[in-house]
Each structure stands twice: as C-alpha cells, then as structure tokens.
Amino acid sequence: MTPPLLSAPLLSAPLLSVRDLTVTFRAEGRTQAAVDRVGFDVAAGEVLGIVGESGSGKSVTALAVMGLLPANGRVASGEILFEGTDLLRLPARKMRDLRGRRIGMIFQEPMTSLNPVFTIGDQIVETIVHHERLGRRAARERAVDMLARVGIPSARRRLDDYPHQMSGGMRQRVMIAMALACSPRLLLADEPTTALDVTIQAQLLDLLNDLRREFGMAVVVITHNMGVIAEFADRVAVFYAGRVAEEAPVEPLFDRPAHPYTRGLLASTPRLDADAERLVTIPGAMPNIAAPPPGCRFAPRCGVKVEACEADRPPLVAVGDGHRAACIRAGEAAA
Ligand SMILES: Nc1ncnc2c1ncn2[C@@H]1O[C@H](COP(=O)(O)OP(=O)(O)O)[C@@H](O)[C@H]1O
Ligand SMILES: [Mg+2]
C-alpha cells in the first residue's frame, strides 16, 4: 500500500485546531447539544471570523476552547488542539496557566469580566504578576505601558480608577490591555464591540488590528455582524444551529457564498449606502436545539431545499480553494 502524501505537516500545523467538537448542556433533566461536531483551524497570525445568528453556538465554542464552560455544560466529544496539545486532556492547573498567558479572551460586556471592587491597575497588575512572575513594580510599569498602547489617555493616573468610572469604550480598551498584557499567541474576541456605538466600534477594531499585527497574534473574532468580518477577518466560519454551514477565505465568501444561509446573512447585512428599509431578513427562526430537524438544520427556512435535504446531515464539501459548504446543492451554486 502506498503511504498517503503528507505536505510538511509540522510546518503547516495550525495554531488551533478544533475537531468534531460536540458540547452538550444538561437543562431541565434533558441533555441537548448546543455545538454539534464543529471543526475549524486557525493558523498562527491569522484572523478567523466566526459569524452566525444569536444562539448558533459561537460563545459556547469559545468557552469550550478556554475550558470555561458553565457547570451544566460538557464537551461530549472532539479535540481542541492548541500548539499540538489537546486542551481537553490538559490538567486544570496547566489550563489555568495557558489561559491569559498563551490564549487571551475578551468578551462583549467588560463589566462582567472586570471586578467592580478593584481598581483597573490592581486587575491588570494581578494578571501580569500571576502569569509573568514579575515583581509588582515592574508589573505596574507594564500595565501603564499596555494601557497607553490601547489608547487610554493619562494611563498612569487611570490605574487608580474603578471600572464604573470609565466609559464602555474605555472599559473595553482595558479588557484588551489585560488580554494582551502577556502577549498571547491567540486572542478569542467574543462580540468585542457589540455593546459599543459605531464610532467606538470602528476605533477598537482598528486598534485590535494594529495590535495583532504588532504582536503577531492569531485572533478568533466572534460576531453576528458581517461588516466586522469584512473589515477584520482573513477567513470565516459561518455557524448555523450549532454546526458549521460554510467556511472560506473572506473574499470568496462574500463573492461566491455557497450556502443559502450565508447568502441570507449577506443579504440582511445593512450597507452603509443602502437604506435600512430595504433590509432583507431570512424568514423563519433558528430551530430549537432541543429538537433540531433531521437532515439539514437550515432546511425549514431554505428557499432552495429539495426532499433529500431533510433526510441526512449534509457533509461539508469543497466548493473552492479552502472553501467548504454543508449544502448538497453547494456545487450548483459554485457552478
Ligand atoms: N448555560 C447553559 N445552559 C443550557 N443551555 C445553554 C447554556 N449556554 C448556552 N446554551 C445553549 O447553547 C446555545 C448556543 O449558545 P451560544 O453559544 O451562547 O450562542 P451564540 O452563538 O449566540 O454565542 C443556546 O441557544 C442555548 O440553547
Ligand atoms: Mg454569544
């Protein structure tokens, strides 16, 4: 038998590889899968956008990668390889060390992750001392430096502020400073700008983009906003009802979307030059994950479904270079 051809596996190994990840929740005496055999790779320095409607399993996926699922959730199967190590097999102590030092995370609402009773300075200094084994004085200098880097004016003075003394945009900058204080290889940003007004959103995305170039860091940016994807991501994974519907580099995804759900998402993205009245939305709602339809989960809302769509789960099939879609009609769309 001829061995399979491998192309320099070590050089091309992704920084993060999520494979066949299934996450289940126990609620009201029942177990349901919020994430169902999801997989994607992130290369070093790359920005992967994860996009999809609310409830599609984006945050649950990120929390699973961080080892921070709520108590009623568990990874039922799959692998989460980070720098070649399966995080699911890592002892809790090692995972805690990795979190913050090698993998940073920022959330949508910084008030929930900043502790209201400690100053900004205490919280950043604590993170740096914990992960970098620096003395307090050196850690404080690093904290001032990081706050200045994320564009907080009079950084040294702001160290003594409490979170509630800052605006939402400034708090999100503090979160970015904290996440980047230890120069992680990977940043998970879950709806990092959703709670902020449009101008501040744009500023923060620019800032994140500059910092990730400077630090050579990979980013997974989770959003329900196609505009954020277009601005910021290199590649996209479109989530629908706990599964990957489509994945592709940004340009082919916008130019030649192969999954009807992606086409619907793009059509419902408000454009700066279009008036909001003409916004197209996808009719219907995402299925209840407690009782998902058999076959394709998008079939109940799909304008191009055929009988076979309701029979079996559609596999992700290649429709172009690095472009895959879980639709049995994707080939027709590509042609
Ligand atoms: N703590 C929980 N208990 C039970 N179910 C949960 C919990 N957290 C999330 N889920 C389920 O997982 C689904 C996906 O949630 P989530 O990943 O937060 O969606 P989003 O794509 O909006 O980030 C939710 O619709 C919900 O059914
Ligand atoms: Mg979410």
Side-chain angles (χ1 to χ4, degrees), residues 132-296:
E132 307 272 286
R133 299 195 165 75
L134 280 180
R136 296 229 152 238
R137 183 180 302 232
R140 215 174 146 82
E141 286 313 306
R142 169 89 69 96
V144 172
D145 186 45
M146 281 312 303
L147 289 180
R149 291 281 266 290
V150 298
I152 293 183
S154 327
R156 192 173 298 277
R157 242 186 314 130
R158 300 311 298 259
L159 278 184
D160 298 322
D161 281 3
Y162 288 88
H164 70 88
Q165 292 173 288
M166 301 188 126
S167 68
M170 283 296 156
R171 283 198 294 264
Q172 196 54 293
R173 283 172 195 262
V174 170
M175 284 306 301
I176 295 172
M178 261 167 87
L180 300 191
C182 304
S183 312
R185 303 311 302 148
L186 174 68
L187 177 70
L188 299 179
D190 190 355
E191 310 259 4
T193 61
T194 303
L196 306 169
D197 78 54
V198 183
T199 323
I200 309 286
Q201 280 191 29
Q203 285 173 8
L204 276 177
L205 283 179
D206 284 347
L207 170 68
L208 267 179
N209 221 358
D210 291 346
L211 290 170
R212 70 117 186 152
R213 286 217 177 91
E214 186 183 331
F215 286 71
M217 161 180 80
V219 181
V220 174
V221 62
I222 295 176
T223 179
H224 56 258
N225 182 336
M226 276 292 189
V228 170
I229 297 286
E231 281 286 307
F232 191 46
D234 301 314
R235 226 152 40 77
V236 194
V238 179
F239 274 43
Y240 186 76
R243 293 179 178 171
V244 174
E246 181 163 5
E247 62 162 293
V250 167
E251 280 182 17
L253 189 98
F254 278 81
D255 293 349
R256 298 181 293 283
H259 197 289
Y261 176 62
T262 312
R263 291 199 289 275
L265 267 187
L266 288 170
S268 62
T269 300
R271 302 172 57 117
L272 291 174
D273 55 354
D275 77 63
E277 309 271 314
R278 284 185 288 133
L279 203 67
V280 189
T281 54
I282 310 172
M286 219 167 51
N288 178 353
I289 57 156
C296 175

Side-chain angles (χ1 to χ4, degrees), residues 22-36:
T22 297
V23 179
T24 57
F25 282 100
R26 189 114 192 112
E28 288 152 23
R30 281 196 302 174
T31 301
Q32 56 196 42
V35 168
D36 181 26

Side-chain angles (χ1 to χ4, degrees), residues 25-27 32 34 53-61 70 72 190 289:
F25 282 100
R26 189 114 192 112
Q32 56 196 42
E53 278 165 286
S54 177
S56 54
K58 306 182 300 294
S59 295
V60 167
T61 300
N72 63 331
D190 190 355
I289 57 156

